[in-house]
Amino acid sequence: PPSPFQAIQLKVQKDEEFACWKRLKTANTQLKIIMEVSSLLAGIGIVAMVELPVGQLEQYPEILIVGFASCTTLLVVVHTLALLIGVCILPHVSSIAKMDEMEFAERSPHDSLRFHINIAWTLSTVIGVGLFLIELLFICWMQFLKTSPVASWIATSILVPSIMLFILFVICFYRKLVKAKTSSTIQDLDHVEVVAAS
Amino acid sequence: PPSPFQAIQLKVQKDEEFACWKRLKTANTQLKIIMEVSSLLAGIGIVAMVELPVGQLEQYPEILIVGFASCTTLLVVVHTLALLIGVCILPHVSSIAKMDEMEFAERSPHDSLRFHINIAWTLSTVIGVGLFLIELLFICWMQFLKTSPVASWIATSILVPSIMLFILFVICFYRKLVKAKTSSTIQDLDHVEVVAAS
Amino acid sequence: PPSPFQAIQLKVQKDEEFACWKRLKTANTQLKIIMEVSSLLAGIGIVAMVELPVGQLEQYPEILIVGFASCTTLLVVVHTLALLIGVCILPHVSSIAKMDEMEFAERSPHDSLRFHINIAWTLSTVIGVGLFLIELLFICWMQFLKTSPVASWIATSILVPSIMLFILFVICFYRKLVKAKTSSTIQDLDHVEVVAAS
Amino acid sequence: PPSPFQAIQLKVQKDEEFACWKRLKTANTQLKIIMEVSSLLAGIGIVAMVELPVGQLEQYPEILIVGFASCTTLLVVVHTLALLIGVCILPHVSSIAKMDEMEFAERSPHDSLRFHINIAWTLSTVIGVGLFLIELLFICWMQFLKTSPVASWIATSILVPSIMLFILFVICFYRKLVKAKTSSTIQDLDHVEVVAAS
Amino acid sequence: PPSPFQAIQLKVQKDEEFACWKRLKTANTQLKIIMEVSSLLAGIGIVAMVELPVGQLEQYPEILIVGFASCTTLLVVVHTLALLIGVCILPHVSSIAKMDEMEFAERSPHDSLRFHINIAWTLSTVIGVGLFLIELLFICWMQFLKTSPVASWIATSILVPSIMLFILFVICFYRKLVKAKTSSTIQDLDHVEVVAAS
Amino acid sequence: PPSPFQAIQLKVQKDEEFACWKRLKTANTQLKIIMEVSSLLAGIGIVAMVELPVGQLEQYPEILIVGFASCTTLLVVVHTLALLIGVCILPHVSSIAKMDEMEFAERSPHDSLRFHINIAWTLSTVIGVGLFLIELLFICWMQFLKTSPVASWIATSILVPSIMLFILFVICFYRKLVKAKTSSTIQDLDHVEVVAAS
């Protein structure tokens, strides 16, 4: 029978393998979500740009047109870049994630490419969705400015707190996630101590 | 052979593991449905906003325009926030749900993130679908106000009871679900007693 | 070796488990079809409502506009409610259906929620598809009334028998399904008798 | 060891089971294809009807409008009925097809519902696709009649042989399929004879 | 232990089984791709035909209209026929491909239907994609003829070499595929010789 | 027990098999992504071309029209060629990748077709996405040139650095990938040395 120390060593090794596997699967799902969300929102941005009633633009103050143009361009660019990064990494991660064998997880490039995945995720989810809400603000102003400025102001009063709520959620969520990771590590350490003590 | 008490203990532990696994799978499906439903309904909201015949808006009373603008904005914002929350949580839940091994279920963050999942679910399903029905009411009024107010009133008389039915269903369903959970717990306890008595 | 009576008991129990599992899988597929069909048809209804050439509505008799408005509203409401019910039940049914182990089938809420599933199915398939055919009738009348009433009448003469055929099929199909279930029960009973006689 | 006769009996029984399973899987795929193809083609029919430039219809001869109206209505009705039949049968067939155990195949209603599946398949694939080609003919005539009748005639001279080719293929394919089934039965019988002779 | 000759016989048989299985899986994927690509490209053809600005057609030379009409009709017809053939064969091939047991591969009709699958594949991929590039050429000419013939000529100078490149690739690819098959057969024969020699 | 040398030989062989399998899976995912991304971006290109307000083109300088026409044509052609190559190779790679048995990986043509896969990948991801960003630049200029050149210039000042960032990322990513491959080979060699030394 293995000695208690060897048992702990084995357990720690198995836990590490599991954690590596979990990171691989998480990265795989993140990359798939980036592809889906970014192509959807980039598509909406393109449609909003193309379906613009060009002939009526002269009625609007230039600041509004400039804001709309830069926001739409940024929205499409951000999602295109996120899509590109996701598309480049996905085949290399997915090829190992589909094998359903934990031992191969270490050979996947998802840890060395973690920085790239994080950038794509931030571009697509955090910046991209935030820009989408700002884009909505510009569309509201362009649609209702002439006929009912009150409607524009009410839409603004709904959107501004929403964007703040959005930023708040993103901050809270990542703080919670970090805490969850730390607590899981502490739990693991406690577990090790208990095993070591027995 | 294990003593009856140990058998009960083992059964209770296995049941708990099963319940944890079931909650994980339910959360996973809920998050996928949130992504699907919210992107569909947010898309419809955006299309309704962009395809608005801006030139004809002057004919409408301002209260209608303001109502339409706030309802559409709220619809898109609610679904965007639900989408964001769902998208942030899904990779962490899905990575464990895909492993198809019950023992890992406890390590998933779906219980500590239950509050976030419930908010996303309520935003997407309860508030989001309700807003969609109200949006339909505004579209009916904007399309038929000038030519046939009777059509608008009939559409309203169909939609108002539907929204009430919708609220009623949501209340009934959650009451039923809570009852089902309680009765399943009671059944489990009965089961434990029977095993204990034998 | 088990006595013949025990063997029958075991067989009956296994059959019941199989029937429960089959009902679970059927409910799961039904809920997925509801989501797909209802979001498609509700989308078509919304598009038909939004793309209405509002400016030309004055040329039509009011009865046609009122009929179109109520039919479209009903179509969208019916499918939205079906979607809502389907979306609320699916995660609880799907979480167990995905486990691929028959013994868990009894713990799924698909039997206690059968009534809700049947309502959603009837709303989405029977009432929803019927309303879609009536909607088609209204669209035909609105598109061809001015230029060619003959075309409207021919479209009507195609659609009315189709709607009758549709009702006939629904009645026949459910009668056949009920008969199939009864005959399968009778077959099972015969089987039991044969086993019992031996 | 089993006698040669028993071996043949066993083989025949296993072959029958396999054939039943194959029919089940084929029916399952057919129903899924019906859902996909019919919702696509019905959608195209609806779009062609709704996007009709109503104001310009007066320029066309009435026979063209009547033909277009009846063809589009028929196209949508045929695919809606196929969709309805497919949607009603699919959950009952799919629930057993997903179990991946051949022994359950006999309990599926796909044999007693074969007639309904064949009707849905014929409506969706044979009649539905044929109507789609005729619909294309009407669209060509309506788009090019005023500006270039030559284009209309050339499109017709492409479409008429295509529709004949289409009918020819359908006839040939079903004759080939029937022959394949017969030859497979004959092969099986030969196999039985060979086993019996040894 | 089996004699060397028996071992070779066994290996050859297993290789044949594997080759048959591979052909089955390849046919299955080809049929799925035909369905996807053909419905996409046929849809684009229909949209290009329906969204034609009919009122402005009189400005174009008749040869352009006739070419556009015949190309679009051909594009839709070719993809519709490919879709029909694919849809008819897929259920019979897919039902066996999904069983994941090599021994059944021989019973699938994918070898006797190889001719049909090849026709559908050629229609969808080779002729269909080629026609799509020619369609693009006609769209360019119709969009830019009046305002900027230079743009039309530049688009033509991009498209003509592309179509040649496309034809070249198709020829090269099939030559390479045939060579790969031959070399794999030769490799197999070498392998047999080596085994036989030992 | 095998000698240390045989153990290394076995390990090297198993590693090679794993690497071959990984390349097969990666190629399979790459081909699927090419199909998805290319059909999306080619579709956007076609829509941008067809929805062009032809009547207003005379207001633009010819250089803009020529640039837009060539960029759109190139975008569609590049993605169509990538789609064609992907579609031709996918069935032959996918048929083996789906078998989930490593030993067959060597028989797949994904290594002999690596050159074609790389061309399709470069066309679809690198050149195709780059052209998409340039297309966005042309759309911005065409939409805002008349009403607000400032908006066009700001959109340009966002897009030009983005395209540079895009090129930078592509270069960095491939350099990193090559380095990862080399380091993994070195690690393997180290591993072999360690095993050999023991």
Side-chain angles (χ1 to χ4, degrees):
Chain A
S3 71
F5 183 72
Q6 278 174 323
I8 295 167
Q9 219 177 9
L10 212 85
K11 212 209 143 287
V12 167
Q13 195 188 330
K14 212 184 139 194
D15 271 28
E16 233 163 72
E17 211 174 54
F18 171 80
C20 183
W21 183 247
K22 187 174 169 297
R23 282 199 307 275
L24 170 64
K25 287 276 184 186
T26 307
N28 196 22
T29 315
Q30 279 182 326
L31 291 168
K32 276 185 193 161
I33 288 174
I34 288 168
M35 276 187 68
E36 224 169 294
V37 169
S38 285
S39 55
L40 182 79
L41 294 187
I44 289 178
I46 286 276
V47 167
M49 178 74 98
V50 169
E51 297 223 337
L52 208 71
V54 183
Q56 300 168 359
L57 282 184
E58 282 154 41
Q59 306 163 12
Y60 298 109
E62 191 157 25
I63 187 88
L64 189 59
I65 301 178
V66 169
F68 175 79
S70 19
C71 182
T72 312
T73 312
L74 259 177
L75 181 71
V76 178
V77 162
V78 158
H79 284 297
T80 306
L81 281 181
L83 190 72
L84 175 77
I85 301 177
V87 146
C88 280
I89 300 175
L90 186 56
H92 300 277
V93 170
S94 153
S95 65
I96 299 203
K98 265 185 196 153
M99 283 194 200
D100 277 327
E101 278 177 61
M102 279 201 190
E103 53 183 310
F104 294 136
E106 285 163 32
R107 304 201 194 183
S108 150
H110 70 275
D111 278 342
S112 63
L113 292 172
R114 175 107 310 258
F115 177 68
H116 291 82
I117 298 176
N118 282 343
I119 282 183
W121 183 251
T122 310
L123 283 177
S124 174
T125 314
V126 183
I127 301 175
V129 174
L131 279 170
F132 177 69
L133 288 176
I134 297 171
E135 172 87 18
L136 188 64
L137 195 65
F138 279 110
I139 292 177
C140 281
W141 272 101
M142 293 190 84
Q143 296 288 60
F144 300 115
L145 182 66
K146 286 285 147 190
T147 46
S148 165
V150 180
S152 304
W153 281 113
I154 287 177
T156 310
S157 71
I158 292 168
L159 273 163
V160 170
S162 302
I163 294 170
M164 283 173 182
L165 213 81
F166 160 82
I167 295 168
L168 204 83
F169 168 77
V170 167
I171 294 172
C172 281
F173 182 76
Y174 280 99
R175 197 171 282 177
K176 183 150 198 171
L177 211 78
V178 168
K179 210 190 283 174
K181 266 182 193 164
T182 324
S183 83
S184 123
T185 316
I186 290 170
Q187 220 181 327
D188 276 17
L189 285 175
D190 288 1
H191 197 93
V192 167
E193 275 168 24
V194 168
V195 175
S198 67
Chain B
S3 71
F5 183 73
Q6 279 174 323
I8 296 166
Q9 221 177 7
L10 211 85
K11 211 207 146 290
V12 167
Q13 197 187 331
K14 212 185 138 192
D15 272 27
E16 234 163 72
E17 211 174 53
F18 171 80
C20 183
W21 184 247
K22 186 174 171 296
R23 282 199 307 274
L24 170 64
K25 286 275 186 188
T26 307
N28 195 21
T29 314
Q30 279 183 326
L31 291 168
K32 276 185 193 160
I33 289 175
I34 288 167
M35 276 187 68
E36 223 169 296
V37 170
S38 284
S39 55
L40 181 80
L41 294 186
I44 289 178
I46 286 276
V47 167
M49 178 76 96
V50 169
E51 297 223 337
L52 208 71
V54 182
Q56 300 167 0
L57 282 184
E58 284 153 39
Q59 307 163 14
Y60 297 108
E62 191 158 25
I63 186 87
L64 189 60
I65 301 177
V66 169
F68 175 80
S70 17
C71 182
T72 311
T73 312
L74 259 178
L75 181 71
V76 178
V77 162
V78 158
H79 284 297
T80 307
L81 282 181
L83 190 71
L84 175 77
I85 301 177
V87 147
C88 279
I89 300 174
L90 186 56
H92 299 277
V93 169
S94 152
S95 66
I96 300 204
K98 266 184 195 155
M99 284 194 200
D100 276 328
E101 278 177 61
M102 279 200 189
E103 54 182 312
F104 293 136
E106 285 163 32
R107 304 201 195 183
S108 149
H110 71 275
D111 279 342
S112 63
L113 291 173
R114 175 107 308 258
F115 177 69
H116 292 82
I117 298 177
N118 281 344
I119 282 183
W121 182 252
T122 310
L123 283 177
S124 173
T125 315
V126 183
I127 301 176
V129 174
L131 279 169
F132 177 69
L133 289 176
I134 297 171
E135 173 86 17
L136 187 64
L137 195 65
F138 279 110
I139 292 177
C140 282
W141 273 101
M142 293 189 85
Q143 295 289 60
F144 300 115
L145 183 68
K146 286 285 147 190
T147 45
S148 165
V150 180
S152 303
W153 282 114
I154 287 178
T156 311
S157 70
I158 293 169
L159 272 164
V160 170
S162 303
I163 294 171
M164 284 173 181
L165 213 82
F166 161 80
I167 296 169
L168 204 84
F169 168 77
V170 167
I171 294 172
C172 280
F173 182 75
Y174 280 99
R175 198 171 281 176
K176 183 150 198 172
L177 211 77
V178 168
K179 211 190 282 173
K181 266 183 193 164
T182 324
S183 82
S184 124
T185 317
I186 289 171
Q187 221 180 325
D188 276 16
L189 285 176
D190 288 1
H191 197 94
V192 167
E193 276 168 22
V194 168
V195 175
S198 67
Chain C
S3 72
F5 183 73
Q6 279 174 324
I8 296 167
Q9 222 178 5
L10 212 84
K11 210 207 148 289
V12 167
Q13 197 187 329
K14 212 185 137 194
D15 272 28
E16 235 163 70
E17 212 173 53
F18 171 79
C20 183
W21 184 246
K22 187 175 171 295
R23 282 199 309 274
L24 171 63
K25 286 276 185 187
T26 307
N28 196 20
T29 314
Q30 280 183 325
L31 291 167
K32 275 184 194 161
I33 289 175
I34 288 167
M35 275 187 68
E36 223 170 295
V37 170
S38 284
S39 56
L40 181 80
L41 295 187
I44 289 178
I46 286 276
V47 166
M49 178 75 97
V50 168
E51 296 223 337
L52 209 71
V54 183
Q56 300 167 359
L57 282 184
E58 283 153 41
Q59 307 162 13
Y60 297 108
E62 192 157 26
I63 187 87
L64 189 60
I65 301 178
V66 169
F68 175 79
S70 16
C71 182
T72 312
T73 312
L74 259 176
L75 181 71
V76 178
V77 161
V78 158
H79 284 296
T80 307
L81 282 180
L83 190 71
L84 175 77
I85 301 177
V87 147
C88 280
I89 299 175
L90 185 57
H92 299 277
V93 169
S94 153
S95 66
I96 300 204
K98 265 184 195 155
M99 285 194 201
D100 277 327
E101 278 177 61
M102 280 200 188
E103 54 182 311
F104 294 136
E106 286 163 31
R107 303 200 194 182
S108 149
H110 70 275
D111 279 342
S112 63
L113 292 173
R114 175 107 307 258
F115 178 69
H116 292 82
I117 298 176
N118 281 343
I119 282 183
W121 183 252
T122 311
L123 282 177
S124 173
T125 315
V126 183
I127 300 175
V129 173
L131 280 169
F132 177 69
L133 289 177
I134 297 170
E135 174 86 16
L136 187 65
L137 195 65
F138 279 109
I139 292 177
C140 282
W141 273 100
M142 293 189 85
Q143 295 289 59
F144 300 114
L145 182 67
K146 287 285 147 189
T147 44
S148 165
V150 180
S152 303
W153 281 113
I154 287 177
T156 310
S157 70
I158 292 169
L159 273 164
V160 170
S162 303
I163 295 171
M164 283 174 181
L165 214 81
F166 162 80
I167 296 170
L168 204 84
F169 167 77
V170 168
I171 294 173
C172 280
F173 182 76
Y174 280 98
R175 199 171 279 175
K176 183 150 197 171
L177 211 78
V178 168
K179 211 190 280 173
K181 266 182 193 165
T182 324
S183 83
S184 123
T185 317
I186 289 171
Q187 221 179 327
D188 276 16
L189 285 175
D190 288 1
H191 197 93
V192 167
E193 275 169 22
V194 167
V195 174
S198 67
Chain D
S3 71
F5 183 73
Q6 278 174 324
I8 296 167
Q9 220 177 8
L10 211 85
K11 211 209 146 288
V12 168
Q13 197 187 328
K14 212 183 137 193
D15 271 28
E16 234 162 71
E17 212 174 53
F18 171 78
C20 183
W21 184 246
K22 187 174 171 296
R23 282 199 307 274
L24 171 64
K25 285 276 185 188
T26 307
N28 195 21
T29 314
Q30 279 183 325
L31 291 167
K32 275 185 194 160
I33 288 175
I34 288 168
M35 276 187 68
E36 223 169 296
V37 170
S38 284
S39 55
L40 182 80
L41 294 187
I44 288 178
I46 286 275
V47 167
M49 178 76 96
V50 168
E51 297 224 335
L52 208 72
V54 183
Q56 300 168 358
L57 282 184
E58 281 154 42
Q59 308 162 12
Y60 297 108
E62 192 157 26
I63 187 86
L64 188 60
I65 302 178
V66 168
F68 176 79
S70 16
C71 183
T72 311
T73 312
L74 259 177
L75 180 72
V76 178
V77 161
V78 158
H79 283 297
T80 306
L81 282 180
L83 190 72
L84 175 78
I85 302 177
V87 147
C88 280
I89 299 175
L90 185 58
H92 299 277
V93 169
S94 153
S95 65
I96 300 203
K98 266 184 196 155
M99 285 194 201
D100 276 328
E101 279 177 60
M102 279 200 189
E103 54 182 311
F104 293 136
E106 286 163 30
R107 302 200 196 184
S108 149
H110 70 274
D111 279 342
S112 64
L113 292 173
R114 175 106 309 257
F115 178 68
H116 292 82
I117 298 176
N118 281 343
I119 282 183
W121 183 251
T122 311
L123 283 176
S124 174
T125 314
V126 183
I127 301 175
V129 174
L131 280 169
F132 177 69
L133 289 177
I134 297 170
E135 174 86 16
L136 188 64
L137 195 65
F138 279 109
I139 292 176
C140 282
W141 273 101
M142 292 189 85
Q143 295 288 59
F144 301 114
L145 182 67
K146 286 285 146 189
T147 45
S148 164
V150 179
S152 304
W153 281 114
I154 287 176
T156 310
S157 70
I158 293 169
L159 273 164
V160 169
S162 302
I163 295 171
M164 283 174 182
L165 213 81
F166 162 80
I167 295 170
L168 205 83
F169 167 76
V170 168
I171 293 172
C172 281
F173 182 75
Y174 280 99
R175 200 171 278 175
K176 183 150 197 172
L177 211 78
V178 169
K179 211 189 281 173
K181 266 183 192 163
T182 324
S183 82
S184 124
T185 316
I186 289 169
Q187 219 179 328
D188 275 16
L189 285 176
D190 289 1
H191 197 94
V192 168
E193 275 168 23
V194 168
V195 175
S198 68
Chain E
S3 71
F5 183 72
Q6 277 174 325
I8 295 167
Q9 218 176 10
L10 211 84
K11 212 210 144 286
V12 168
Q13 196 187 331
K14 212 184 136 193
D15 272 26
E16 233 163 73
E17 212 173 52
F18 171 80
C20 183
W21 184 246
K22 188 174 170 297
R23 282 200 307 273
L24 171 64
K25 286 276 184 188
T26 306
N28 196 20
T29 314
Q30 279 182 325
L31 291 167
K32 276 185 193 160
I33 288 175
I34 289 167
M35 275 186 69
E36 224 169 294
V37 170
S38 283
S39 54
L40 182 80
L41 294 187
I44 289 178
I46 286 275
V47 167
M49 178 75 96
V50 169
E51 296 222 338
L52 208 72
V54 183
Q56 302 168 357
L57 283 184
E58 283 153 40
Q59 308 163 11
Y60 297 108
E62 191 156 26
I63 186 85
L64 189 59
I65 302 179
V66 169
F68 175 78
S70 18
C71 183
T72 312
T73 312
L74 259 177
L75 180 71
V76 178
V77 161
V78 158
H79 284 297
T80 306
L81 282 180
L83 190 71
L84 175 78
I85 301 176
V87 147
C88 280
I89 299 175
L90 184 57
H92 299 278
V93 169
S94 153
S95 65
I96 299 202
K98 266 185 196 155
M99 284 194 200
D100 277 328
E101 279 177 61
M102 279 200 187
E103 54 182 309
F104 294 136
E106 286 164 30
R107 304 201 195 183
S108 148
H110 70 275
D111 279 341
S112 63
L113 293 172
R114 175 105 310 256
F115 178 68
H116 292 81
I117 298 175
N118 281 343
I119 282 183
W121 183 251
T122 310
L123 283 176
S124 174
T125 314
V126 184
I127 301 176
V129 174
L131 280 169
F132 177 69
L133 289 177
I134 297 171
E135 173 86 18
L136 188 65
L137 195 65
F138 279 110
I139 293 177
C140 282
W141 273 101
M142 293 189 84
Q143 296 288 62
F144 300 114
L145 182 67
K146 287 285 147 189
T147 45
S148 165
V150 179
S152 303
W153 282 113
I154 287 177
T156 310
S157 70
I158 293 169
L159 273 164
V160 169
S162 303
I163 295 171
M164 282 171 184
L165 213 80
F166 161 81
I167 295 168
L168 204 84
F169 168 76
V170 168
I171 294 172
C172 280
F173 183 74
Y174 281 99
R175 199 171 280 176
K176 183 150 197 171
L177 211 77
V178 168
K179 210 190 282 174
K181 266 184 192 162
T182 324
S183 82
S184 125
T185 316
I186 289 169
Q187 217 178 329
D188 276 15
L189 285 175
D190 289 1
H191 197 95
V192 167
E193 276 167 24
V194 167
V195 175
S198 69
Chain F
S3 72
F5 183 72
Q6 277 174 324
I8 295 168
Q9 216 176 12
L10 212 84
K11 212 208 143 288
V12 167
Q13 195 186 332
K14 211 183 138 193
D15 272 27
E16 232 164 73
E17 211 173 53
F18 171 79
C20 183
W21 184 245
K22 188 173 169 296
R23 282 200 307 274
L24 171 63
K25 286 276 185 187
T26 308
N28 196 20
T29 314
Q30 279 182 325
L31 291 168
K32 276 184 194 161
I33 288 175
I34 288 168
M35 275 186 69
E36 225 169 291
V37 170
S38 284
S39 54
L40 182 80
L41 294 187
I44 289 177
I46 286 274
V47 166
M49 177 75 96
V50 170
E51 297 223 336
L52 207 72
V54 183
Q56 300 168 359
L57 283 185
E58 282 154 40
Q59 307 163 12
Y60 297 108
E62 192 157 25
I63 186 87
L64 189 59
I65 302 178
V66 169
F68 176 79
S70 18
C71 182
T72 312
T73 311
L74 258 177
L75 181 71
V76 178
V77 162
V78 159
H79 284 297
T80 306
L81 281 181
L83 190 71
L84 176 78
I85 301 177
V87 147
C88 280
I89 299 174
L90 185 57
H92 299 278
V93 169
S94 153
S95 66
I96 299 203
K98 267 184 194 154
M99 284 195 198
D100 277 328
E101 278 177 61
M102 280 200 189
E103 54 182 310
F104 294 137
E106 286 163 31
R107 304 201 194 182
S108 149
H110 70 274
D111 278 343
S112 63
L113 293 172
R114 176 107 307 259
F115 178 67
H116 292 82
I117 298 176
N118 281 343
I119 282 183
W121 183 252
T122 311
L123 283 177
S124 174
T125 314
V126 184
I127 300 175
V129 174
L131 279 170
F132 178 69
L133 289 176
I134 297 170
E135 173 86 18
L136 188 64
L137 195 65
F138 279 109
I139 292 176
C140 281
W141 272 101
M142 293 190 84
Q143 295 288 61
F144 300 115
L145 182 66
K146 287 285 148 190
T147 46
S148 164
V150 180
S152 303
W153 282 114
I154 287 177
T156 309
S157 70
I158 293 169
L159 273 163
V160 169
S162 303
I163 295 171
M164 283 173 183
L165 213 80
F166 161 82
I167 295 168
L168 205 82
F169 168 76
V170 168
I171 294 171
C172 280
F173 182 75
Y174 280 99
R175 198 171 281 176
K176 183 150 197 171
L177 211 78
V178 168
K179 209 190 283 174
K181 266 183 192 163
T182 324
S183 82
S184 125
T185 316
I186 290 169
Q187 219 179 327
D188 275 16
L189 286 174
D190 288 1
H191 197 95
V192 167
E193 275 168 23
V194 168
V195 175
S198 68

